[in-house]
Amino acid sequence: MAGMKAATSAATAETGATEPGTAETGATEPGTAEPARARRPRRAKRAYGGALVLFLAALYFVVPILASLWFTVDDPAKGFTLDAYAKGLTDEGMLSALGLSLRLGLATVALGLLLMVPTMVVVALRLPRLRRVVEVLCMVPLIVPPIALVAGVSTVLSWEQDLAATPFYRTFQLLQNKNFPLVLVLVYTVMSLPFLYRALDAGLRGIDLKTLVEASRSLGASRTGTLWRVVVPNLRSAVVSGAVLSLAMVLGEFTVATVLGFEPFSVWMVHVGEYEAQLSVAAAMLSLLITWGLLLLLTNLAGGRARNRRKTTA
Amino acid sequence: MTTTISAGDSTDTRAGVGLRLGGLRRAFGSTTALDGLDLDIAPGELVALLGPSGCGKTTALRIIAGFETADTGELLMGGEDVTGLPANKRDIGMVFQSYSLFPNMTAAENVAYGLRVRKASKAERAARAAELLELVGLPGRDKHYPHQLSGGQQQRVALARALAVSPRVLLLDEPLSALDAKVRLQLREEIRRLQLELGITTVFVTHDQEEALSMADRVAVMKDGRLEQCAPPNELYERPATPFVAEFVGTMNRLPGVVREGGTVEVLGRRLPVTTGQGAHPEAGRTVDVLLRPEGLQVHTGEQDGGEHATVRVATFLGSTTRLHLTTDSGAEAKADLPSWEAGSLTPGTRCTLTAHDNPVLVEERDNPVLAEKTAS
């Protein structure tokens, strides 16, 4: 459940990027409002209305987080305590589960990008007619519920015994390695396709791909060189936002992991919650922090260059 | 003010590579973009491909660049067959119509990109980028990103980027069409100056006849995927090979005339020799359209013999010349350019006599359906 929260927070951070504009008007308006009020009362009213909506939305997100925070630091016997956090940070189960989730997330993002960036570039350049097909294919995971997806996957995995005598057996074992279950990476990659597609599609629409690629080719660059030096750098913010959404999805994913019997962070948290509620919620708070940290890091990676550019203009 | 250009040793050996387009044919589905295009471009020459949209000029350029492949035909660069060579192996420089600078790189990085691909050292790249930015008149802009440059500056950087690799052939795909008039004029002159100084073989695609005529050594006028005429600007203007070229380049009058014996045509009370152009002579006695330039017409005040009587409708003062719009008594419309000092008395409503200078003229049969359409519009 806390994993879900992590995903929601990622989504909030995404929309948050567009929010400051509204927040700014809300903040600057009161200062200028004094002389302006007589002339533009409506404008001021609208600004206050915006602030109200923002305040209500903030309540909606902040109250549950504060309640969880209170729950983790308040012990009926001892009063304020950070025991739950200390325990969580030293708990081996939690650290290994969190490590697994992060590794799964990174592997998923890497595989997803490796698959989608070249595909979408080729489709945009050479096969524009396939654009709709790719879009529909990439959106399918949104429509198919994870439980249906995992049912299919477990059926395939159950062939393992029948294949015991063949070389495929090793592959099946490798896929289900408890330390790093590749099968989860494969399933998560499929589940991340909608996020990657949407982000990359927006990014590709924002640049004149054909001209940039042709310019690079005319200057002697190979196809891969062009992809790496020209296309990817100009899709940077799209790649980052797709990666952030996919990562948040993986960190919060529960259904597939639990049905296939693996224990990444989300599954561990639910298990622990059954007997140690405070530790479980503390872990949820930590995961929230980690997700925010990652978001901040990635957004900085994406925005760094743009900010430098703005500085040179000024 | 002369700028010495040290474009690098490689430039000297590469400049002036000839280009040969042999029987290029290209169809997209049912539309034929190129229908057997033959064109020889001499080393160091600037040839403009001119024509209305859809005439195949851009397709021709993209085939030279290697972005399109011809269905049939061959392409030779300096005698070498490059028909099947991929774009990145052709050693070309190209400037595009839309802004094509890499947004993630500074001006200097953009210019040095081709050298980076060719694995030149960092110092060499920086030196060459600075040299070329200076060449295109943008010294000190090396650290600017494309979005910090104006449209004209971006196209200058794009030109520097194309030239940085000392290409064998420079391809310009309507590089000025996105710029405003003043910048366009300025950049046009600079491109020509650079091209002459570097002696680089250049193909320039444009739909702007003024641009083509003012910049090119030769202008290749295209229509429906074929070459109509390829000639120096003055020849194209003075001796167009076909009615299409005649009307596409400059302004043309179409006045009714009657074909006479001995390859002449009677128009505006005169007998003028007919140039054959590409078509055959029409038979004597037929009514044809005679193509006459506005400056090839003479206008005399009053109703005189030896010409056709007409009325001035509009007089437009254009500085040294004045353009008169006239209607002849037989109902034909004509435009005539006169030196302004002669046209002073020819105000609207004035009766006058219209004749033609004694130059050879192109004629076209009147029952041409294309023509009928044109007259209707």
Side-chain angles (χ1 to χ4, degrees):
Chain A
M1 179 216 128
M4 293 284 233
K5 221 180 266 171
T8 338
S9 76
T12 339
E14 273 298 301
T15 42
T18 55
E19 216 62 58
T22 353
E24 225 166 82
T25 22
T28 49
E29 205 67 5
T32 49
E34 286 307 328
R37 189 170 288 160
R39 273 179 290 125
R40 295 179 300 169
R42 238 181 234 170
R43 178 108 190 256
K45 217 181 262 173
R46 207 185 298 153
Y48 288 128
L52 183 70
V53 170
L54 206 66
F55 176 71
L56 289 177
L59 273 188
Y60 185 77
F61 288 111
V62 171
V63 168
I65 293 174
L66 284 181
S68 308
L69 197 65
W70 179 250
F71 177 69
T72 55
V73 295
D74 181 55
D75 189 306
K78 291 190 271 184
F80 180 81
T81 170
L82 288 173
D83 282 357
Y85 288 94
K87 199 168 175 192
L89 286 173
T90 51
D91 188 292
E92 226 162 84
M94 156 152 171
L95 292 181
S96 73
L98 189 59
L100 178 61
S101 275
L102 285 176
R103 281 183 295 140
L104 286 174
L106 293 177
T108 301
V109 166
L111 184 63
L113 287 174
L114 220 58
L115 195 70
M116 288 304 287
V117 173
T119 305
M120 292 195 61
V121 168
V122 169
V123 167
L125 282 179
R126 298 251 152 181
L127 309 160
R129 275 188 216 153
L130 282 185
R131 227 187 65 94
R132 287 292 302 169
V133 178
V134 173
E135 181 176 6
V136 168
L137 277 180
C138 288
M139 289 302 144
V140 165
L142 277 188
I143 306 159
V144 177
I147 193 74
L149 191 66
V150 76
V153 173
S154 6
T155 312
V156 174
L157 288 179
S158 69
W159 297 345
E160 188 180 1
Q161 295 314 316
D162 305 333
L163 297 171
T166 69
F168 288 117
Y169 186 65
R170 285 279 303 145
T171 317
F172 271 74
Q173 286 201 314
L174 201 67
L175 280 175
Q176 300 177 75
N177 180 354
K178 286 270 175 206
N179 290 325
F180 190 68
L182 274 173
V183 66
L184 280 188
V185 175
L186 297 180
V187 176
Y188 288 165
T189 301
V190 171
M191 288 169 71
S192 71
L193 289 181
F195 305 112
L196 291 176
Y197 179 86
R198 279 274 175 248
L200 291 174
D201 187 51
L204 284 170
R205 280 167 198 272
I207 59 174
D208 186 352
L209 183 70
K210 189 168 163 243
T211 308
L212 292 183
V213 167
E214 285 179 355
S216 169
R217 298 277 290 154
S218 75
L219 291 163
S222 64
R223 285 178 215 282
T224 39
T226 300
L227 189 69
W228 191 241
R229 285 184 177 137
V230 173
V231 179
V232 170
N234 286 305
L235 287 179
R236 192 145 104 167
S237 57
V239 165
V240 167
S241 77
V244 165
L245 290 174
S246 306
L247 202 59
M249 185 273 294
V250 173
L251 290 182
E253 207 291 323
F254 178 78
T255 318
V256 175
T258 195
V259 170
L260 293 181
F262 300 108
E263 198 174 64
F265 192 60
S266 56
V267 178
W268 174 85
M269 209 151 45
V270 172
H271 286 171
V272 165
E274 282 163 15
Y275 53 92
E276 241 179 307
Q278 221 177 14
L279 177 58
S280 163
V281 177
M285 299 312 293
L286 283 176
S287 84
L288 210 58
L289 276 182
I290 289 165
T291 321
W292 277 346
L294 276 174
L295 276 176
L296 217 61
L297 191 76
L298 289 171
T299 326
N300 266 322
L301 273 181
R305 191 102 192 198
R307 219 171 300 130
N308 283 346
R309 278 189 221 161
R310 240 171 276 138
K311 249 179 228 161
T312 27
T313 337
Chain B
M1 187 197 100
T2 43
T3 339
T4 22
I5 297 168
S6 56
D9 297 333
S10 48
T11 312
D12 301 332
T13 53
R14 273 179 184 157
V17 161
L19 199 62
R20 182 193 193 98
L21 284 65
L24 292 181
R25 217 170 269 278
R26 176 78 166 107
F28 297 100
S30 59
T31 42
T32 308
L34 283 184
D35 193 8
L37 175 67
D38 290 292
L39 185 61
D40 270 303
I41 297 171
E45 193 179 25
L46 194 160
V47 169
L49 299 182
L50 177 68
S53 55
C55 72
K57 56 190 193 296
T58 300
T59 307
L61 193 80
R62 292 176 59 80
I63 288 174
I64 300 174
F67 300 141
E68 299 281 354
T69 43
D71 298 332
T72 57
E74 57 168 14
L75 177 68
L76 302 181
M77 227 176 247
E80 178 201 348
D81 189 346
V82 297
T83 316
L85 215 58
N88 61 329
K89 305 268 190 246
R90 292 202 179 183
D91 219 350
I92 49 158
M94 184 150 173
V95 179
F96 296 81
Q97 179 177 9
S98 52
Y99 301 135
S100 63
L101 295 184
F102 307 127
N104 59 317
M105 299 180 201
T106 62
E109 284 167 351
N110 263 288
V111 175
Y113 181 83
L115 300 169
R116 200 171 115 203
V117 169
R118 286 164 174 73
K119 303 202 162 46
S121 74
K122 210 170 182 179
E124 194 184 326
R125 269 154 38 196
R128 184 82 173 137
E131 180 193 0
L132 274 149
L133 283 173
E134 180 149 8
L135 198 64
V136 297
L138 289 174
R141 297 295 165 100
D142 51 337
K143 292 209 171 55
H144 285 59
Y145 281 94
H147 74 276
Q148 297 168 326
L149 300 168
S150 69
Q153 289 172 332
Q154 287 192 44
Q155 288 305 65
R156 280 166 197 265
V157 175
L159 182 65
R161 181 177 69 176
L163 291 171
V165 294
S166 310
R168 293 194 288 184
V169 175
L170 180 64
L171 305 176
L172 307 171
D173 183 9
E174 306 207 22
L176 308 175
S177 62
L179 307 175
D180 58 59
K182 202 177 160 196
V183 180
R184 199 183 309 174
L185 212 67
Q186 201 180 358
L187 204 51
R188 177 159 106 186
E189 283 161 15
E190 267 185 69
I191 290 177
R192 178 58 166 161
R193 176 182 64 87
L194 274 174
Q195 188 268 333
L196 284 174
E197 279 174 351
L198 295 170
I200 186 169
T201 310
T202 304
V203 183
F204 186 110
V205 161
T206 181
H207 62 263
D208 181 339
Q209 48 150 315
E210 195 189 314
E211 218 165 84
L213 295 176
S214 66
M215 286 174 77
D217 292 309
R218 283 192 301 153
V219 178
V221 180
M222 291 178 67
K223 183 198 171 196
D224 300 334
R226 280 174 207 262
L227 190 63
E228 286 276 306
Q229 185 178 11
C230 184
N234 59 332
E235 191 183 321
L236 204 69
Y237 188 83
E238 287 159 14
R239 291 189 297 282
T242 65
F244 176 80
V245 174
E247 294 198 290
F248 193 77
V249 177
T251 310
M252 257 311 167
N253 288 304
R254 272 179 182 268
L255 292 166
V258 179
V259 179
R260 299 295 180 207
E261 295 299 324
T264 58
V265 63
E266 193 175 314
V267 64
L268 300 176
R270 296 239 173 156
R271 264 193 183 209
L272 306 177
V274 175
T275 57
T276 39
Q278 287 171 353
H281 262 297
E283 331 159 14
R286 293 200 63 160
T287 308
V288 290
D289 267 321
V290 183
L291 300 171
L292 291 160
R293 295 272 182 213
E295 63 272 24
L297 295 181
Q298 289 174 312
V299 184
H300 305 286
T301 320
E303 295 179 9
Q304 303 176 7
D305 291 339
E308 200 164 333
H309 298 164
T311 310
V312 178
R313 292 283 166 226
V314 183
T316 313
F317 178 71
L318 300 167
S320 60
T321 62
T322 294
R323 171 159 295 178
L324 302 174
H325 294 250
L326 309 129
T327 309
T328 64
D329 288 357
S330 59
E333 306 268 338
K335 297 184 191 104
D337 285 353
L338 263 69
S340 290
W341 54 268
E342 262 182 39
S345 60
L346 291 158
T347 51
T350 311
R351 294 288 291 164
C352 58
T353 308
L354 193 60
T355 59
H357 287 295
D358 267 338
N359 296 324
V361 291
L362 268 177
V363 299
E364 191 167 41
E365 308 251 355
R366 282 221 104 175
D367 49 3
N368 189 333
V370 179
L371 215 163
E373 203 176 281
K374 241 176 214 165
T375 340
S377 64

